[in-house]
Amino acid sequence: MPNKYIKKIFKEVRKLNNAVEEYTKIGKIPAIPYRAFVNLADYLFLKGSIEQSEELLNNAINFVSKSSDAFVNLGVVQQSKNDYAKAIEYYKKALKKDPKNVKALCLWGNCLSFQNNNEDAIKKYERAIEIDEKTSEAYLFWGIVLLKEHKNEEAREKFTSAIKYNPKDARSLFMLGTVEIEMGLYDSALEKLMFLIESSDKDIGACHNVAYIHFKKKDYEKAILYALTALSCNPFKIETYLLLGDTYVLVNKINEALNIYELAENRNLKSLFLYLSWGTALQKNNQYEQAIEKFKQGIEINNNETNDEIYARLAKCNYIIGNKEEAKINAQKAIEISQDNYMANKVLANIYIDEQNYTEAINQLNLCLKNSETKSKTFLSLAQCYKYIQDFEQSNKYYEKSLEYDRENIQTMLEYVESLYQQRNYDKAIKKLITLEKIAGERLEVLCLSFKVNYNIAKGNLYGYNGMKAKTIAEKIKEKYPENYSFEEEYKELTSISRE
């Protein structure tokens, strides 16, 4: 054997001896040198010394041993670097040495799932379970694949099995809580996550998820408390900043929200969603120009990521400050991404209404109808558009639909009765006035409208009952709102007729 190879072997042996000497300071050395090096490699990996760990494992595999652990651990090292193809090669070698190594199978499947090859990943988990039905990690990783595929009930079953076979694995309990959140089983999830928090000294992931549960349950005080706890343990989790900021916005603590977003930015946690949340808080606070700046930062930071909401909000802010051209451009960008974006369609509809292009406005408003929460407002806008183009049949239909969703909206009712009055549809107007008077009382606008409708019906019916009612309403207006009384001529006419 050439001298250079002998020198190389001596050099590597010295490295290993030095490593073993270091490890004797932190743990007991097993009798088998191979196991000592694998254990030290594990220790170094957990410390974050990944390159040293990898070097040790590469040397450890040269020892004559039936164990496949070094190959598995080398795979883990490569997996931690997101080099899944190389990791899989090591898992294959581990299985070649030990065909019953269920850990290698589970990690191989885990790599495949990261490569979005879920079907083959599940085959690896099934094979691991065939070898040992109590392989909890196989159930855990399988559950994660099912969760990614939104098969929540099946995922829940797998996580439950993982806990059954390894009750000490906090990961399975955490994932079970996570899938139950997805299923809306908040109380059940909360029970599991609180157990993790209480038994592991503020589990960071659990604290974040507990904050999210309280957010969904609208217990914003507790959501804030647990989000702050999560950040105190891990100040670099962007999702927690967004959850905390958005919660502050919901309870109208805008300044606190803005401070949280700024803190995330200072920690270099910049993302499209950070600037979307930040801009939304500013928009809610009527700081439209500052909001526009944040939305633009969000778009610039990730040009490849499309998000209809950020363009829609940018459009709305521009519309409010009067920059309609920019508003139109951004609204159209939002609609290109999602045709059903309510805010973008509404902004475009408003622009078309301003331009008196009511046909185009109607097209946009019809797209807004998919948002059930705003149907009353959308039907009202449609009624107004049809009124402007004097299609009163359609206009009346949409006023009625608007009131179906918001029966006691006084302003909509007033506008509808006014429209009926202008159409000279007095019979329908008088019926609507009965409801309006019940919910609005003796407001000036209601009294004036009631007078006009009753007066015109009275003229057609040679006065009679409606004439008397119009006269009574006029007297009430004169008494309650003397400065707004303007029906003196009509009142004199009604009085003279009633004397005849």
Side-chain angles (χ1 to χ4, degrees), residues 59-78:
N59 285 296
I61 59 176
N62 294 318
F63 282 91
V64 177
S65 170
K66 293 180 181 179
S67 175
S68 55
D69 290 356
F71 287 118
V72 171
N73 289 358
L74 277 167
V76 171
V77 169
Q78 296 307 319

Side-chain angles (χ1 to χ4, degrees), residues 43-56:
Y43 166 74
L44 291 170
F45 182 80
L46 292 171
K47 273 180 63 180
S49 303
I50 295 173
E51 288 182 12
Q52 287 178 271
S53 174
E54 186 176 7
E55 187 179 1
L56 272 175

